[in-house]
Amino acid sequence: MLGRDRFDTTELIEVFVTAKGSIYQSDVENCLYLTFSGKTSRLSFQSLNDLKKIIDKVDLGHMCTLIEHADIEIILLKDNCFVLSGIEIIYLKEILQGAFTMFRLNHIITDCLDRLVIS
Amino acid sequence: MKDLMRIKSLLSAEIESLLNQQVKKEAHSSAIYLSMASWCDRNGFDGSADFFFKQSNEEREHQLKIYKYILDMGGTAISPDINNIKIEFGTFREVFEDALDQEIAITQSFKNIVARCHKEQDYVTLEFLNWFLREQREEEYVARRALELFEVIGENGTGYWDIDKNIGNIKYSAE
Ligand SMILES: [Fe+2]
Ligand SMILES: [Fe+2]
């Protein structure tokens, strides 16, 4: 699923994966790879955070009532553009929520380890 | 696995959000004081109008202080939109009653953020907030003292005139 010609998968750490997409972290590049609906985007943590904020704000109920540009949301992010349907937003939301839960968990663990006093 | 979240920002999502809410509250305070200054000026209370112009500027400074802190710590500061600012007040006294209510609400709000910082052991933000806790001591004192003038001077005769002349003289010294 991940385009091996674009980056070395061996250095990537799985953050969160669903049947619909995935987020991997590169500690070497300090960035994240989001694979979703057939494309992989390289994002900084800031951009992924911004994307999550935008996705969380999308009013799905309102989207469904639109007739003309029915069921499509266009999200512009610094170097990326996402054109998503309502169902894709639901899938992406799940991936992002999972990933951020893992980030928080990782932070708690790192924080605990940092505070360990080794005598 | 690197802790990218922590590398990006010192602030947790919850504290960042609370600080952004506080930015909005300070901006709201600033706008309300400006509205009070307008009402006082229109109704001939020049001393009080000056007092509220100064208060409004202070609130703006508070807003920027928090705003810059969020950015300095790697967070996303959000410029707030402010609406529904009261334009009319029933009486001269009501303006000061509202001012005290406003300051009490701000103090409560800071207490809430401080409690969250304790819970998360965010001592850096806690230390930053100490300045505001101290500031609220003064803010509440001044607002309470202003309202007290309505009692000690009285609202009859030249009472309003005297109150208006004395509002600007209220000083707080912590020591
Ligand atoms: Fe303030
Ligand atoms: Fe204040």
Side-chain angles (χ1 to χ4, degrees):
Chain A
M1 188 161 62
L2 296 165
R4 275 170 192 273
D5 53 320
R6 294 179 58 195
F7 49 85
D8 181 8
T9 50
T10 55
E11 69 186 33
L12 295 179
I13 303 156
E14 178 186 317
V15 180
F16 196 73
V17 178
T18 70
K20 301 294 174 189
S22 65
I23 291 175
Y24 282 81
Q25 176 170 321
S26 165
D27 277 0
V28 179
E29 298 171 273
N30 283 328
C31 73
L32 298 141
Y33 287 94
L34 164 68
T35 300
F36 187 71
S37 73
K39 83 168 186 176
T40 299
S41 317
R42 184 178 183 276
L43 300 163
S44 63
F45 186 83
Q46 173 76 63
S47 295
L48 195 74
N49 196 22
D50 292 345
L51 178 65
K52 183 175 189 297
K53 281 181 186 165
I54 296 168
I55 295 285
D56 284 344
K57 269 200 197 133
V58 173
D59 185 346
L60 284 168
H62 175 70
M63 250 180 107
C64 298
T65 62
L66 293 176
I67 298 166
E68 264 189 54
H69 313 285
D71 198 34
I72 286 291
E73 186 78 23
I74 299 168
I75 294 165
L76 291 167
L77 208 67
K78 223 170 90 200
D79 300 320
N80 287 282
C81 174
F82 298 89
V83 181
L84 303 167
S85 68
I87 191 76
E88 282 176 321
I89 288 195
I90 292 169
Y91 291 146
L92 185 54
K93 209 177 218 177
E94 188 194 352
I95 297 168
L96 290 169
Q97 272 168 1
F100 276 82
T101 303
M102 296 315 284
F103 290 140
R104 273 194 288 275
L105 184 62
N106 184 42
H107 171 65
I108 292 167
I109 295 166
T110 311
D111 192 48
C112 283
L113 292 174
D114 283 349
R115 289 174 191 223
L116 271 186
V117 180
I118 300 157
S119 53
Chain B
M1 180 173 160
K2 273 190 188 170
D3 185 359
L4 290 185
M5 197 169 75
R6 183 65 184 83
I7 291 168
K8 173 71 192 81
S9 172
L10 176 141
L11 305 168
S12 72
E14 290 75 18
I15 290 189
E16 183 182 308
S17 160
L18 284 174
L19 289 175
N20 269 314
Q21 284 170 37
Q22 194 62 36
V23 163
K24 188 175 172 119
K25 285 176 187 173
E26 299 291 339
H28 185 253
S29 287
S30 180
I32 282 186
Y33 281 137
L34 211 51
S35 188
M36 290 172 173
S38 167
W39 188 92
C40 288
D41 188 276
R42 294 200 307 276
N43 289 280
F45 302 115
D46 281 7
S48 304
D50 276 355
F51 171 81
F52 285 122
F53 271 119
K54 275 189 206 123
Q55 287 293 315
S56 177
N57 277 338
E58 273 191 23
E59 301 305 345
R60 166 87 181 161
E61 279 168 27
H62 298 167
Q63 180 200 340
L64 292 183
K65 208 175 170 112
I66 304 167
Y67 200 80
K68 283 177 183 152
Y69 176 77
I70 298 171
L71 291 173
D72 287 347
M73 295 307 107
T76 303
I78 297 164
S79 183
D81 57 330
I82 302 301
N83 43 37
N84 292 324
I85 298 297
K86 188 169 169 178
I87 297 168
E88 292 303 330
F89 297 85
T91 59
F92 187 33
R93 188 193 182 114
E94 186 186 306
V95 179
F96 289 93
E97 281 170 349
D98 281 11
L100 178 58
D101 283 350
Q102 175 69 23
E103 289 304 338
I104 290 172
I106 293 286
T107 307
Q108 292 308 111
S109 177
F110 274 116
K111 279 158 72 177
N112 185 35
I113 309 176
V114 165
R116 181 77 208 186
C117 288
H118 274 292
K119 198 177 165 211
E120 291 188 19
Q121 301 188 333
D122 181 352
Y123 301 118
V124 178
T125 304
L126 202 59
E127 196 271 336
F128 166 75
L129 291 173
N130 278 338
W131 184 88
F132 287 92
L133 295 180
R134 233 189 135 77
E135 176 71 12
Q136 280 317 109
R137 243 159 77 177
E138 178 175 341
E139 297 276 71
E140 278 205 27
Y141 172 86
V142 172
R144 205 168 274 120
R145 180 64 189 150
L147 205 49
E148 218 170 42
L149 291 184
F150 285 81
E151 304 300 332
V152 294
I153 297 177
E155 298 184 40
N156 299 322
T158 57
Y160 279 176
W161 192 82
D162 280 327
I163 293 167
D164 187 51
K165 285 287 157 284
N166 282 291
I167 288 294
N169 299 329
I170 302 171
K171 291 279 172 303
Y172 176 71
S173 75
E175 280 72 40

